[in-house]
Amino acid sequence: MADIKDVEYVFNKLSESRPTELNSRMDDTQAGIGAVLKFLSDSDGAVTCGDIAKHIGVSTARVAVLLKKMVAKNLICRSVGAEDARIIYISLTDEGRKTVSELRDLITQHLSRVIDAMGMEKIMTFIELSNEMKRVAEEVKPDLPNILKEKK
């Protein structure tokens, strides 16, 4: 069975190589809640709505909708900034931390099965090719604003 180091490595690399899929799924409330939970879990202390929006690449309005649902599920709590009452800080509740732990265990089990079924060598090849494709795509990316200006 794949060890935890392999599972964590694959998870992190897949997350890095597929940010557009994550953002396209932000309309799916469950995916959005999962992304917010992960960000809060990885953060040191409380964060703002703007911090979350910037990190996951969606609007603050979309994050506000997710946060409202997460408060209702007792996954997060909001607190007013001590120095500026206009700033609202978001942090995980005990239930939120428990949920993060359960989700990490579930993802670990799932990725461990995927690694076992495919083999680490194939997965490493996939990750290397994905990273190379991303790098090359960035290098050859056209300057779209200039292309659009020329067609006027």
Side-chain angles (χ1 to χ4, degrees):
M1 185 167 199
D3 66 30
I4 190 69
K5 250 174 52 174
D6 288 343
V7 170
E8 289 175 354
Y9 178 80
V10 170
F11 179 78
N12 288 331
K13 291 301 180 181
L14 288 175
S15 294
E16 289 171 8
S17 68
R18 301 176 70 179
T20 55
E21 181 176 319
L22 173 66
N23 291 341
S24 70
R25 292 182 60 218
M26 280 300 116
D27 287 335
D28 177 357
T29 300
Q30 295 306 322
I33 289 173
V36 173
L37 286 173
K38 182 178 183 331
F39 178 67
L40 289 172
S41 176
D42 293 345
S43 298
D44 292 328
V47 298
T48 66
C49 181
D51 295 333
I52 296 168
K54 183 178 178 182
H55 180 76
I56 62 178
V58 297
S59 70
T60 54
R62 179 69 190 132
V63 171
V65 169
L66 290 172
L67 296 180
K68 184 176 180 181
K69 292 177 182 184
M70 293 173 75
V71 167
K73 294 179 182 206
N74 193 34
L75 297 173
I76 61 166
C77 60
R78 297 176 181 178
S79 58
V80 177
E83 294 179 14
D84 188 343
R86 296 172 296 175
I87 299 175
I88 305 296
Y89 291 99
I90 313 298
S91 58
L92 290 171
T93 61
D94 288 339
E95 183 66 26
R97 282 187 282 285
K98 178 182 169 199
T99 300
V100 168
S101 178
E102 290 170 354
L103 287 171
R104 284 196 171 144
D105 289 346
L106 183 67
I107 291 167
T108 297
Q109 291 171 7
H110 177 72
L111 278 177
S112 180
R113 289 185 201 124
V114 170
I115 293 167
D116 290 344
M118 290 184 65
M120 195 64 178
E121 186 176 330
K122 283 184 181 178
I123 290 173
M124 292 297 294
T125 299
F126 168 76
I127 290 168
E128 289 170 13
L129 290 172
S130 295
N131 287 333
E132 184 177 352
M133 186 173 186
K134 181 179 176 182
R135 180 188 56 77
V136 169
E138 281 297 315
E139 286 176 5
V140 300
K141 182 173 75 174
D143 185 5
L144 290 180
N146 287 338
I147 291 171
L148 294 175
K149 288 177 186 175
E150 292 171 12
K151 291 190 176 190
K152 282 186 177 181

